[in-house]
Coordinates of all heavy atoms in Angstrom, one line a residue:
I1 N 0.9 -1.2 0.0 CA 0.0 0.0 0.0 C 0.9 1.2 0.0 O 1.6 1.5 1.0 CB -0.9 0.0 1.2 CG1 -1.7 -1.3 1.3 CG2 -1.8 1.2 1.2 CD1 -2.7 -1.6 0.1
G2 N 0.9 1.9 -1.1 CA 1.9 3.0 -1.3 C 1.7 4.2 -0.3 O 2.6 4.9 0.1
K3 N 0.4 4.5 0.1 CA 0.1 5.6 1.0 C 0.2 5.3 2.4 O 0.0 6.1 3.3 CB -1.2 6.2 0.6 CG -1.3 6.8 -0.8 CD -2.7 7.3 -1.0 CE -2.8 7.8 -2.5 NZ -4.1 8.3 -2.8
C4 N 0.6 4.0 2.8 CA 0.7 3.6 4.1 C 2.1 4.0 4.7 O 3.1 3.8 4.1 CB 0.6 2.1 4.2 SG 0.6 1.5 5.9
R5 N 2.1 4.6 5.9 CA 3.3 4.9 6.6 C 3.8 3.6 7.2 O 3.1 3.1 8.1 CB 3.0 6.0 7.7 CG 2.5 7.2 7.1 CD 2.0 8.2 8.2 NE 1.3 9.3 7.7 CZ 0.5 10.1 8.4 NH1 0.3 9.9 9.6 NH2 -0.1 11.0 7.8
G6 N 4.9 3.2 6.8 CA 5.5 1.9 7.4 C 4.9 0.7 6.6 O 4.4 0.8 5.5
I7 N 5.0 -0.4 7.3 CA 4.6 -1.7 6.7 C 3.1 -1.9 6.9 O 2.6 -1.7 8.1 CB 5.4 -2.9 7.3 CG1 6.9 -2.7 7.0 CG2 4.9 -4.2 6.8 CD1 7.8 -3.7 7.7
F8 N 2.4 -2.2 5.9 CA 1.0 -2.5 6.0 C 0.7 -3.9 6.4 O 1.2 -4.8 5.7 CB 0.3 -2.2 4.7 CG -1.2 -2.4 4.7 CD1 -2.0 -1.4 5.2 CD2 -1.8 -3.6 4.4 CE1 -3.4 -1.5 5.3 CE2 -3.2 -3.8 4.4 CZ -4.0 -2.7 4.9
R9 N 0.1 -4.2 7.5 CA -0.3 -5.5 7.9 C -1.8 -5.6 8.1 O -2.3 -5.1 9.0 CB 0.4 -5.8 9.3 CG 1.9 -5.8 9.2 CD 2.5 -6.3 10.5 NE 3.9 -5.9 10.6 CZ 4.9 -6.6 10.1 NH1 4.7 -7.6 9.3 NH2 6.2 -6.2 10.3
A10 N -2.4 -6.4 7.2 CA -3.8 -6.6 7.2 C -4.2 -7.8 8.1 O -3.5 -8.8 8.1 CB -4.4 -6.8 5.8
F11 N -5.2 -7.6 8.9 CA -5.7 -8.7 9.7 C -6.7 -9.6 9.0 O -7.0 -10.7 9.4 CB -6.4 -8.2 11.0 CG -5.4 -7.7 12.0 CD1 -5.5 -6.4 12.6 CD2 -4.3 -8.5 12.5 CE1 -4.7 -5.9 13.5 CE2 -3.5 -8.0 13.4 CZ -3.6 -6.7 14.0
N12 N -7.2 -9.1 7.9 CA -8.2 -9.9 7.1 C -8.2 -9.4 5.7 O -7.7 -8.4 5.3 CB -9.6 -9.8 7.8 CG -10.1 -8.4 7.9 OD1 -10.2 -7.7 6.9 ND2 -10.6 -8.0 9.0
E13 N -8.8 -10.2 4.8 CA -8.9 -9.9 3.4 C -9.7 -8.7 3.1 O -9.4 -7.9 2.2 CB -9.5 -11.1 2.7 CG -9.5 -11.1 1.2 CD -8.1 -11.3 0.7 OE1 -7.2 -11.8 1.4 OE2 -7.8 -11.0 -0.5
I14 N -10.7 -8.4 3.9 CA -11.5 -7.2 3.7 C -10.6 -5.9 3.9 O -10.7 -5.0 3.1 CB -12.7 -7.1 4.7 CG1 -13.5 -8.4 4.7 CG2 -13.6 -5.9 4.4 CD1 -14.4 -8.6 5.9
Q15 N -9.8 -5.9 5.0 CA -9.0 -4.8 5.2 C -8.0 -4.6 4.1 O -7.8 -3.5 3.7 CB -8.2 -5.0 6.6 CG -7.4 -3.9 7.0 CD -6.7 -4.2 8.3 OE1 -6.6 -5.3 8.8 NE2 -6.1 -3.1 8.9
L16 N -7.4 -5.6 3.6 CA -6.4 -5.5 2.5 C -7.1 -5.0 1.3 O -6.6 -4.1 0.6 CB -5.8 -6.9 2.3 CG -4.8 -7.0 1.1 CD1 -3.7 -6.0 1.2 CD2 -4.4 -8.4 0.8
R17 N -8.2 -5.6 0.8 CA -8.8 -5.2 -0.4 C -9.3 -3.7 -0.3 O -9.2 -3.0 -1.3 CB -10.0 -6.1 -0.7 CG -9.5 -7.5 -1.0 CD -8.7 -7.6 -2.3 NE -8.0 -8.9 -2.3 CZ -6.7 -9.1 -2.4 NH1 -5.9 -8.1 -2.6 NH2 -6.2 -10.3 -2.4
Y18 N -9.9 -3.3 0.8 CA -10.4 -2.0 0.9 C -9.2 -1.0 1.0 O -9.3 0.1 0.4 CB -11.2 -1.8 2.2 CG -12.1 -0.5 2.1 CD1 -13.1 -0.4 1.2 CD2 -11.8 0.5 3.0 CE1 -13.8 0.8 1.2 CE2 -12.5 1.7 2.9 CZ -13.5 1.8 2.0 OH -14.3 3.0 1.9
A19 N -8.1 -1.3 1.6 CA -6.9 -0.5 1.6 C -6.4 -0.3 0.2 O -5.9 0.8 -0.1 CB -5.8 -1.0 2.5
E20 N -6.4 -1.3 -0.6 CA -6.0 -1.2 -2.0 C -6.8 -0.2 -2.7 O -6.3 0.6 -3.5 CB -6.0 -2.6 -2.7 CG -4.9 -3.5 -2.2 CD -5.1 -4.9 -2.7 OE1 -6.2 -5.3 -3.1 OE2 -4.0 -5.6 -2.6
K21 N -8.1 -0.2 -2.5 CA -9.0 0.8 -3.1 C -8.7 2.2 -2.6 O -8.7 3.1 -3.4 CB -10.5 0.4 -2.8 CG -11.0 -0.8 -3.6 CD -12.4 -1.1 -3.3 CE -12.8 -2.3 -4.0 NZ -14.3 -2.6 -3.9
L22 N -8.5 2.3 -1.3 CA -8.2 3.6 -0.8 C -6.9 4.2 -1.3 O -6.8 5.4 -1.5 CB -8.2 3.6 0.8 CG -9.5 3.3 1.5 CD1 -9.2 3.1 3.0 CD2 -10.5 4.4 1.3
D23 N -6.0 3.3 -1.5 CA -4.7 3.7 -2.0 C -4.8 4.4 -3.4 O -4.0 5.2 -3.8 CB -3.8 2.5 -2.1 CG -2.3 2.9 -2.2 OD1 -1.9 3.7 -1.4 OD2 -1.6 2.2 -3.0
Q24 N -5.8 4.1 -4.1 CA -6.0 4.6 -5.5 C -6.8 5.9 -5.5 O -6.8 6.6 -6.5 CB -6.8 3.6 -6.4 CG -6.0 2.3 -6.5 CD -4.7 2.4 -7.1 OE1 -4.5 3.1 -8.1 NE2 -3.7 1.8 -6.4
R25 N -7.4 6.3 -4.4 CA -8.3 7.5 -4.3 C -7.4 8.7 -4.2 O -6.5 8.8 -3.4 CB -9.2 7.4 -3.1 CG -10.4 6.5 -3.3 CD -11.3 6.4 -2.2 NE -11.7 7.6 -1.6 CZ -12.6 7.7 -0.6 NH1 -13.2 6.7 -0.2 NH2 -12.8 8.9 0.0
E26 N -7.7 9.7 -5.0 CA -7.0 11.0 -5.0 C -7.2 11.8 -3.8 O -6.3 12.6 -3.4 CB -7.3 11.8 -6.3 CG -6.8 11.1 -7.5 CD -7.1 12.0 -8.8 OE1 -7.4 13.2 -8.6 OE2 -7.1 11.4 -9.9
D27 N -8.3 11.6 -3.1 CA -8.6 12.4 -1.9 C -7.9 11.9 -0.6 O -8.0 12.5 0.4 CB -10.1 12.6 -1.7 CG -10.8 11.3 -1.4 OD1 -10.4 10.2 -1.9 OD2 -11.8 11.3 -0.6
I28 N -7.3 10.7 -0.7 CA -6.6 10.1 0.4 C -5.1 10.4 0.3 O -4.5 10.0 -0.7 CB -6.9 8.6 0.5 CG1 -8.3 8.2 0.5 CG2 -6.1 7.9 1.6 CD1 -9.0 8.7 1.8
K29 N -4.6 11.0 1.3 CA -3.2 11.4 1.3 C -2.3 10.4 2.0 O -1.2 10.1 1.5 CB -3.1 12.8 2.1 CG -1.7 13.4 2.0 CD -1.7 14.8 2.5 CE -1.8 14.9 4.0 NZ -1.6 16.3 4.5
A30 N -2.8 9.8 3.1 CA -2.0 8.8 3.8 C -2.9 7.8 4.5 O -4.1 8.1 4.9 CB -1.1 9.5 4.9
I31 N -2.5 6.6 4.7 CA -3.2 5.5 5.3 C -2.4 4.9 6.4 O -1.3 4.6 6.3 CB -3.6 4.4 4.3 CG1 -4.4 5.0 3.1 CG2 -4.3 3.2 5.0 CD1 -4.5 4.0 1.9
E32 N -3.1 4.8 7.6 CA -2.5 4.0 8.7 C -3.4 2.8 9.0 O -4.6 3.0 8.9 CB -2.4 4.9 10.0 CG -1.3 6.0 9.9 CD -1.2 6.7 11.2 OE1 -0.8 6.1 12.2 OE2 -1.4 7.9 11.2
C33 N -2.8 1.7 9.3 CA -3.5 0.5 9.6 C -3.3 0.1 11.1 O -2.3 0.4 11.7 CB -3.2 -0.6 8.7 SG -1.5 -1.2 8.8
N34 N -4.4 -0.4 11.6 CA -4.3 -1.0 13.0 C -3.9 0.1 14.0 O -2.9 -0.1 14.7 CB -3.4 -2.2 13.0 CG -3.8 -3.2 11.9 OD1 -5.0 -3.5 11.7 ND2 -2.8 -3.7 11.2
V35 N -4.6 1.2 14.1 CA -4.3 2.3 14.9 C -4.9 2.0 16.3 O -6.1 1.9 16.4 CB -4.8 3.6 14.3 CG1 -4.6 4.8 15.3 CG2 -4.2 3.9 13.0
R36 N -4.0 2.0 17.3 CA -4.5 1.7 18.7 C -5.3 2.9 19.2 O -5.0 4.0 19.0 CB -3.3 1.5 19.6 CG -3.7 1.2 21.1 CD -2.5 0.8 21.8 NE -2.4 -0.6 21.4 CZ -2.0 -1.5 22.2 NH1 -1.6 -1.3 23.4 NH2 -1.9 -2.8 21.8
L37 N -6.4 2.5 19.9 CA -7.3 3.5 20.5 C -6.9 3.7 21.9 O -7.4 3.0 22.8 CB -8.8 3.1 20.3 CG -9.3 2.8 18.9 CD1 -10.8 2.5 18.9 CD2 -8.9 3.9 17.9
V38 N -6.1 4.6 22.2 CA -5.5 4.9 23.5 C -6.5 5.4 24.4 O -7.2 6.4 24.1 CB -4.3 5.9 23.4 CG1 -3.7 6.2 24.7 CG2 -3.2 5.3 22.4
G39 N -6.7 4.7 25.6 CA -7.6 5.2 26.6 C -9.0 4.6 26.4 O -9.9 5.0 27.2
L40 N -9.2 3.7 25.5 CA -10.5 3.1 25.3 C -10.9 2.3 26.5 O -10.1 1.5 26.9 CB -10.5 2.3 24.0 CG -11.8 1.8 23.5 CD1 -12.7 3.0 23.0 CD2 -11.6 0.8 22.4
S41 N -12.1 2.5 27.0 CA -12.4 1.8 28.3 C -12.7 0.3 28.1 O -12.6 -0.4 29.0 CB -13.6 2.5 28.9 OG -14.7 2.5 28.0
I42 N -13.1 -0.1 26.9 CA -13.4 -1.5 26.7 C -12.4 -2.0 25.6 O -11.9 -1.1 24.8 CB -14.8 -1.8 26.3 CG1 -15.2 -1.2 25.0 CG2 -15.8 -1.4 27.4 CD1 -16.5 -1.6 24.4
G43 N -12.2 -3.2 25.5 CA -11.4 -3.7 24.4 C -9.9 -3.3 24.5 O -9.4 -2.7 23.6
E44 N -9.3 -3.7 25.6 CA -7.9 -3.3 25.8 C -7.1 -3.7 24.6 O -7.1 -4.9 24.1 CB -7.4 -4.0 27.0 CG -5.9 -3.7 27.4 CD -5.7 -2.3 27.8 OE1 -6.7 -1.7 28.4 OE2 -4.6 -1.8 27.6
G45 N -6.4 -2.8 24.0 CA -5.5 -3.1 22.9 C -6.3 -3.0 21.5 O -5.7 -3.4 20.5
Y46 N -7.5 -2.6 21.6 CA -8.3 -2.5 20.3 C -7.7 -1.5 19.4 O -7.2 -0.5 19.8 CB -9.8 -2.1 20.6 CG -10.7 -2.1 19.4 CD1 -11.1 -3.3 18.9 CD2 -11.0 -1.0 18.8 CE1 -11.9 -3.4 17.8 CE2 -11.9 -1.0 17.7 CZ -12.3 -2.2 17.2 OH -13.1 -2.2 16.1
T47 N -7.7 -1.9 18.1 CA -7.2 -1.0 17.1 C -8.3 -0.7 16.0 O -9.1 -1.6 15.7 CB -6.0 -1.5 16.4 OG1 -6.3 -2.8 15.8 CG2 -4.8 -1.7 17.4
S48 N -8.2 0.5 15.4 CA -9.1 0.7 14.2 C -8.3 0.2 13.0 O -7.1 0.4 12.9 CB -9.4 2.2 14.1 OG -10.3 2.6 15.0
D49 N -9.1 -0.4 12.1 CA -8.4 -1.0 10.9 C -7.7 0.0 10.0 O -6.6 -0.3 9.6 CB -9.4 -1.9 10.2 CG -10.0 -3.0 11.0 OD1 -9.1 -3.6 11.8 OD2 -11.2 -3.3 10.9
L50 N -8.4 1.0 9.6 CA -7.9 2.0 8.7 C -8.2 3.4 9.1 O -9.3 3.7 9.3 CB -8.4 1.7 7.3 CG -8.1 0.3 6.7 CD1 -9.1 0.0 5.5 CD2 -6.7 0.2 6.2
V51 N -7.2 4.2 9.2 CA -7.3 5.6 9.5 C -6.6 6.4 8.4 O -5.4 6.2 8.2 CB -6.7 6.0 10.9 CG1 -6.8 7.5 11.2 CG2 -7.4 5.2 12.0
C52 N -7.4 7.2 7.7 CA -6.8 7.8 6.5 C -6.8 9.3 6.7 O -7.8 9.9 7.1 CB -7.7 7.5 5.3 SG -7.9 5.7 5.0
A53 N -5.7 9.9 6.3 CA -5.6 11.4 6.2 C -6.1 11.8 4.8 O -5.6 11.3 3.8 CB -4.2 11.9 6.5
K54 N -7.1 12.7 4.8 CA -7.6 13.1 3.5 C -6.9 14.5 3.1 O -6.3 15.2 3.9 CB -9.1 13.3 3.6 CG -9.8 12.0 3.9 CD -11.3 12.1 4.2 CE -12.1 12.3 2.9 NZ -13.5 12.4 3.1
E55 N -7.0 14.7 1.8 CA -6.4 16.0 1.3 C -6.9 17.2 1.9 O -6.2 18.2 2.1 CB -6.6 16.0 -0.2 CG -5.8 15.0 -1.0 CD -4.3 15.3 -0.9 OE1 -3.8 16.5 -0.7 OE2 -3.5 14.3 -1.1
D56 N -8.2 17.2 2.4 CA -8.7 18.4 3.0 C -8.4 18.6 4.5 O -8.8 19.5 5.2 CB -10.3 18.4 2.9 CG -11.0 17.3 3.6 OD1 -10.3 16.5 4.4 OD2 -12.2 17.2 3.5
G57 N -7.5 17.7 5.0 CA -7.0 17.7 6.4 C -7.9 16.9 7.4 O -7.5 16.8 8.5
S58 N -9.0 16.4 7.0 CA -9.8 15.6 7.8 C -9.4 14.1 7.9 O -8.5 13.7 7.1 CB -11.3 15.7 7.4 OG -11.5 15.1 6.1
L59 N -9.9 13.4 8.8 CA -9.6 12.0 8.9 C -10.8 11.1 8.5 O -12.0 11.6 8.7 CB -9.3 11.6 10.3 CG -7.9 12.0 10.9 CD1 -7.8 11.5 12.3 CD2 -6.8 11.6 10.0
M60 N -10.6 10.0 7.9 CA -11.6 9.0 7.6 C -11.2 7.7 8.3 O -10.1 7.3 8.1 CB -11.7 8.8 6.1 CG -12.7 7.8 5.7 SD -12.8 7.5 3.9 CE -11.5 6.3 3.7
V61 N -12.1 7.1 9.0 CA -11.8 5.9 9.7 C -12.8 4.8 9.2 O -14.0 5.0 9.1 CB -12.0 6.0 11.3 CG1 -11.8 4.7 12.0 CG2 -11.1 7.1 11.8
R62 N -12.2 3.6 8.9 CA -13.0 2.5 8.5 C -12.6 1.2 9.3 O -11.5 0.9 9.5 CB -12.8 2.1 7.0 CG -13.3 3.2 6.1 CD -14.8 3.3 6.2 NE -15.3 4.3 5.3 CZ -15.6 5.6 5.6 NH1 -15.3 6.0 6.8 NH2 -16.1 6.4 4.7
E63 N -13.7 0.6 9.8 CA -13.5 -0.7 10.5 C -14.0 -1.8 9.6 O -15.0 -1.6 8.9 CB -14.4 -0.7 11.8 CG -14.0 0.4 12.8 CD -12.7 0.3 13.5 OE1 -11.9 -0.6 13.1 OE2 -12.4 1.1 14.3
T64 N -13.2 -2.9 9.4 CA -13.6 -3.9 8.5 C -14.1 -5.1 9.3 O -13.5 -5.5 10.4 CB -12.4 -4.4 7.6 OG1 -11.3 -4.8 8.5 CG2 -11.9 -3.2 6.8
V65 N -15.2 -5.7 8.9 CA -15.9 -6.7 9.7 C -16.5 -7.8 8.7 O -17.1 -7.4 7.7 CB -17.0 -6.2 10.6 CG1 -17.7 -7.2 11.4 CG2 -16.6 -5.0 11.5
Q66 N -16.3 -9.0 9.1 CA -17.1 -10.0 8.3 C -18.5 -10.0 8.7 O -18.9 -9.8 9.9 CB -16.5 -11.4 8.6 CG -15.1 -11.6 8.1 CD -14.6 -13.1 8.4 OE1 -15.3 -13.9 9.0 NE2 -13.4 -13.3 7.9
R67 N -19.4 -10.0 7.7 CA -20.8 -9.9 7.9 C -21.3 -10.9 9.0 O -22.1 -10.5 9.8 CB -21.5 -10.2 6.6 CG -23.0 -9.9 6.6 CD -23.6 -10.1 5.3 NE -23.1 -9.2 4.3 CZ -23.5 -8.0 4.1 NH1 -24.5 -7.5 4.8 NH2 -23.0 -7.2 3.1
K68 N -20.8 -12.1 9.0 CA -21.2 -13.1 10.0 C -20.9 -12.7 11.5 O -21.5 -13.2 12.4 CB -20.6 -14.5 9.7 CG -19.1 -14.6 9.8 CD -18.6 -15.9 9.4 CE -17.1 -16.0 9.6 NZ -16.6 -17.3 9.2
H69 N -19.9 -11.8 11.7 CA -19.6 -11.3 13.0 C -20.3 -10.1 13.4 O -20.2 -9.7 14.6 CB -18.1 -11.1 13.1 CG -17.2 -12.3 12.9 ND1 -15.9 -12.3 12.6 CD2 -17.6 -13.6 13.0 CE1 -15.5 -13.5 12.5 NE2 -16.5 -14.4 12.7
L70 N -21.0 -9.4 12.5 CA -21.6 -8.1 12.8 C -22.6 -8.2 13.9 O -22.7 -7.2 14.7 CB -22.2 -7.6 11.5 CG -22.6 -6.1 11.5 CD1 -21.5 -5.2 11.9 CD2 -23.3 -5.7 10.2
L71 N -23.3 -9.2 14.0 CA -24.4 -9.3 15.0 C -23.9 -9.8 16.4 O -24.7 -9.9 17.3 CB -25.6 -10.2 14.5 CG -26.3 -9.6 13.3 CD1 -27.4 -10.5 12.8 CD2 -26.8 -8.2 13.6
R72 N -22.7 -10.1 16.5 CA -22.1 -10.6 17.8 C -22.1 -9.4 18.8 O -21.7 -8.3 18.4 CB -20.7 -11.0 17.7 CG -20.5 -12.4 17.0 CD -19.1 -12.7 17.0 NE -18.9 -14.0 16.4 CZ -17.7 -14.6 16.1 NH1 -16.6 -13.9 16.4 NH2 -17.6 -15.7 15.5
P73 N -22.6 -9.6 20.0 CA -22.7 -8.4 20.9 C -21.3 -7.8 21.2 O -21.2 -6.6 21.3 CB -23.2 -9.1 22.2 CG -24.0 -10.2 21.7 CD -23.3 -10.8 20.5
S74 N -20.2 -8.7 21.3 CA -18.9 -8.1 21.5 C -18.4 -7.3 20.3 O -17.8 -6.2 20.5 CB -17.9 -9.3 21.8 OG -17.8 -10.1 20.7
T75 N -18.7 -7.7 19.1 CA -18.4 -6.9 17.9 C -19.1 -5.6 17.9 O -18.5 -4.5 17.7 CB -18.7 -7.7 16.6 OG1 -17.9 -8.9 16.7 CG2 -18.3 -6.9 15.4
A76 N -20.4 -5.6 18.2 CA -21.2 -4.4 18.2 C -20.7 -3.4 19.3 O -20.6 -2.2 19.0 CB -22.7 -4.7 18.5
R77 N -20.3 -3.9 20.5 CA -19.8 -3.1 21.5 C -18.5 -2.4 21.1 O -18.3 -1.2 21.3 CB -19.6 -3.8 22.8 CG -20.8 -4.0 23.6 CD -20.5 -4.5 25.1 NE -19.8 -5.8 25.1 CZ -20.3 -7.0 25.0 NH1 -21.6 -7.1 24.9 NH2 -19.6 -8.1 25.0
L78 N -17.6 -3.2 20.5 CA -16.3 -2.6 20.0 C -16.5 -1.6 18.9 O -15.8 -0.5 18.9 CB -15.4 -3.7 19.6 CG -14.8 -4.6 20.7 CD1 -14.0 -5.8 20.2 CD2 -13.9 -3.7 21.6
L79 N -17.4 -1.9 18.0 CA -17.7 -0.9 16.9 C -18.2 0.4 17.5 O -17.9 1.5 17.0 CB -18.6 -1.5 15.8 CG -17.9 -2.6 15.0 CD1 -19.0 -3.3 14.1 CD2 -16.8 -2.1 14.1
D80 N -19.2 0.3 18.4 CA -19.8 1.5 19.0 C -18.7 2.2 19.8 O -18.6 3.5 19.7 CB -20.9 1.1 20.0 CG -22.2 0.7 19.3 OD1 -22.3 1.0 18.1 OD2 -23.0 0.0 20.0
A81 N -17.8 1.5 20.5 CA -16.7 2.2 21.2 C -15.8 2.9 20.2 O -15.4 4.1 20.5 CB -16.0 1.2 22.1
S82 N -15.5 2.3 19.1 CA -14.6 2.9 18.1 C -15.3 4.2 17.6 O -14.6 5.2 17.5 CB -14.3 1.9 17.0 OG -13.7 2.6 15.9
R83 N -16.5 4.1 17.2 CA -17.2 5.2 16.7 C -17.2 6.4 17.7 O -17.0 7.5 17.3 CB -18.7 4.8 16.3 CG -19.5 6.0 15.7 CD -20.8 5.5 15.2 NE -21.6 6.6 14.8 CZ -22.3 7.4 15.5 NH1 -22.4 7.2 16.8 NH2 -23.0 8.4 15.0
E84 N -17.6 6.1 18.9 CA -17.6 7.1 19.9 C -16.2 7.7 20.2 O -16.0 8.9 20.3 CB -18.1 6.6 21.3 CG -19.6 6.3 21.2 CD -20.5 7.5 20.9 OE1 -20.2 8.6 21.4 OE2 -21.4 7.3 20.1
Y85 N -15.2 6.9 20.1 CA -13.8 7.3 20.3 C -13.4 8.4 19.2 O -12.9 9.5 19.5 CB -12.8 6.1 20.2 CG -11.4 6.5 20.3 CD1 -10.7 6.6 21.5 CD2 -10.6 6.8 19.1 CE1 -9.4 6.9 21.6 CE2 -9.3 7.1 19.2 CZ -8.7 7.2 20.4 OH -7.3 7.5 20.5
W86 N -13.7 8.0 18.0 CA -13.3 8.9 16.9 C -14.2 10.2 16.8 O -13.7 11.2 16.5 CB -13.3 8.1 15.5 CG -12.2 7.2 15.5 CD1 -12.2 5.8 15.6 CD2 -10.8 7.5 15.4 NE1 -11.0 5.3 15.6 CE2 -10.1 6.3 15.4 CE3 -10.1 8.7 15.2 CZ2 -8.7 6.3 15.3 CZ3 -8.7 8.7 15.1 CH2 -8.0 7.5 15.2
L87 N -15.5 10.0 17.2 CA -16.3 11.2 17.3 C -15.8 12.2 18.3 O -15.8 13.4 18.1 CB -17.8 10.8 17.6 CG -18.6 10.3 16.4 CD1 -20.0 9.8 16.9 CD2 -18.8 11.3 15.3
S88 N -15.3 11.6 19.4 CA -14.8 12.5 20.5 C -13.5 13.2 20.1 O -13.1 14.2 20.6 CB -14.5 11.7 21.8 OG -13.4 10.9 21.6
K89 N -12.8 12.7 19.0 CA -11.6 13.3 18.5 C -11.9 14.2 17.3 O -11.0 14.8 16.7 CB -10.6 12.2 18.0 CG -10.3 11.2 19.0 CD -9.3 11.8 20.0 CE -8.8 10.7 21.0 NZ -8.3 11.2 22.2
G90 N -13.2 14.4 17.0 CA -13.7 15.3 16.0 C -13.8 14.7 14.6 O -14.0 15.4 13.6
T91 N -13.6 13.4 14.5 CA -13.7 12.7 13.2 C -15.1 12.3 12.9 O -15.7 11.6 13.7 CB -12.8 11.4 13.2 OG1 -11.5 11.8 13.5 CG2 -12.9 10.7 11.9
K92 N -15.6 12.9 11.8 CA -17.0 12.6 11.5 C -17.2 11.5 10.4 O -18.2 10.9 10.3 CB -17.7 13.9 11.0 CG -17.8 15.0 12.1 CD -18.4 16.2 11.5 CE -18.6 17.3 12.6 NZ -17.4 17.8 13.2
D93 N -16.1 11.2 9.7 CA -16.2 10.2 8.6 C -15.7 8.9 9.1 O -14.6 8.5 9.0 CB -15.3 10.7 7.4 CG -15.5 9.9 6.2 OD1 -16.3 8.9 6.2 OD2 -14.9 10.2 5.1
W94 N -16.7 8.2 9.8 CA -16.4 6.9 10.3 C -17.4 5.9 9.7 O -18.5 6.2 9.5 CB -16.6 6.9 11.9 CG -16.3 5.6 12.6 CD1 -15.2 5.3 13.2 CD2 -17.2 4.5 12.7 NE1 -15.3 4.0 13.7 CE2 -16.5 3.5 13.5 CE3 -18.5 4.3 12.4 CZ2 -17.1 2.3 13.8 CZ3 -19.1 3.0 12.7 CH2 -18.4 2.1 13.4
G95 N -16.9 4.7 9.4 CA -17.8 3.7 8.8 C -17.3 2.3 8.9 O -16.2 2.0 9.4
I96 N -18.2 1.4 8.5 CA -17.9 0.0 8.6 C -17.8 -0.6 7.1 O -18.7 -0.2 6.3 CB -19.0 -0.8 9.3 CG1 -19.1 -0.3 10.8 CG2 -18.8 -2.3 9.3 CD1 -20.3 -0.8 11.5
V97 N -16.9 -1.4 6.9 CA -16.7 -2.1 5.6 C -17.0 -3.6 5.8 O -16.3 -4.2 6.6 CB -15.3 -1.9 4.9 CG1 -15.2 -2.6 3.6 CG2 -15.0 -0.4 4.8
L98 N -18.0 -4.1 5.1 CA -18.3 -5.6 5.2 C -17.9 -6.3 4.0 O -17.7 -5.8 2.9 CB -19.8 -5.7 5.4 CG -20.5 -5.0 6.6 CD1 -22.0 -5.1 6.4 CD2 -20.0 -5.7 7.9
D99 N -17.7 -7.6 4.2 CA -17.5 -8.5 3.0 C -18.8 -8.7 2.3 O -19.9 -8.6 2.9 CB -16.9 -9.9 3.5 CG -17.7 -10.6 4.5 OD1 -18.5 -9.9 5.2 OD2 -17.6 -11.8 4.6
E100 N -18.7 -8.9 1.0 CA -19.9 -9.1 0.2 C -20.9 -8.0 0.4 O -22.0 -8.0 0.7 CB -20.5 -10.5 0.3 CG -19.5 -11.6 -0.1 CD -20.0 -13.0 0.1 OE1 -21.2 -13.1 -0.1 OE2 -19.3 -13.9 0.5

């Protein structure tokens, strides 16, 4: 991934394929993967899958999830915690990327 700072390490195929798409977008300046959410009260060591610096100076955050895991209570709690974390940092462009 050319726009990634350092070595890109994907945890799943969804993360890799979506990062490849982001790498081609002109509005994406830099991509970081597996960004630790410091101070998160649940999910010790939880990381956001993709955090992208956009050309306009804003951030875009994407969490990648297999559809079959989406309804798990633990997955839902972590996704909610991630969304709240990034909203508290002023990031409004947060989303989930699913397989298929």
Side-chain angles (χ1 to χ4, degrees):
I1 305 298
K3 294 180 183 177
C4 184
R5 301 173 189 161
I7 298 171
F8 182 85
R9 297 188 197 279
F11 285 128
N12 58 52
E13 190 72 17
I14 306 163
Q15 185 181 14
L16 175 61
R17 297 294 165 233
Y18 196 70
E20 290 172 339
K21 288 181 181 185
L22 292 173
D23 199 44
Q24 301 303 311
R25 286 181 40 176
E26 291 183 19
D27 64 326
I28 303 295
K29 188 168 77 173
I31 301 169
E32 289 186 63
C33 62
N34 311 317
V35 176
R36 179 169 282 214
L37 305 187
V38 178
L40 191 67
S41 59
I42 65 169
E44 182 68 30
Y46 184 76
T47 61
S48 283
D49 294 323
L50 299 163
V51 178
C52 305
K54 296 173 78 175
E55 288 292 335
D56 66 4
S58 67
L59 290 179
M60 178 180 86
V61 177
R62 292 295 182 266
E63 302 292 4
T64 59
V65 181
Q66 290 183 0
R67 186 176 300 275
K68 67 182 181 182
H69 295 162
L70 191 58
L71 295 177
R72 289 182 178 174
S74 60
T75 300
R77 278 193 302 276
L78 288 171
L79 290 172
D80 284 341
S82 169
R83 183 176 174 274
E84 291 300 319
Y85 176 89
W86 289 107
L87 283 173
S88 75
K89 304 286 185 200
T91 301
K92 294 179 175 67
D93 190 353
W94 182 95
I96 299 170
V97 179
L98 300 171
D99 55 338
E100 298 179 34

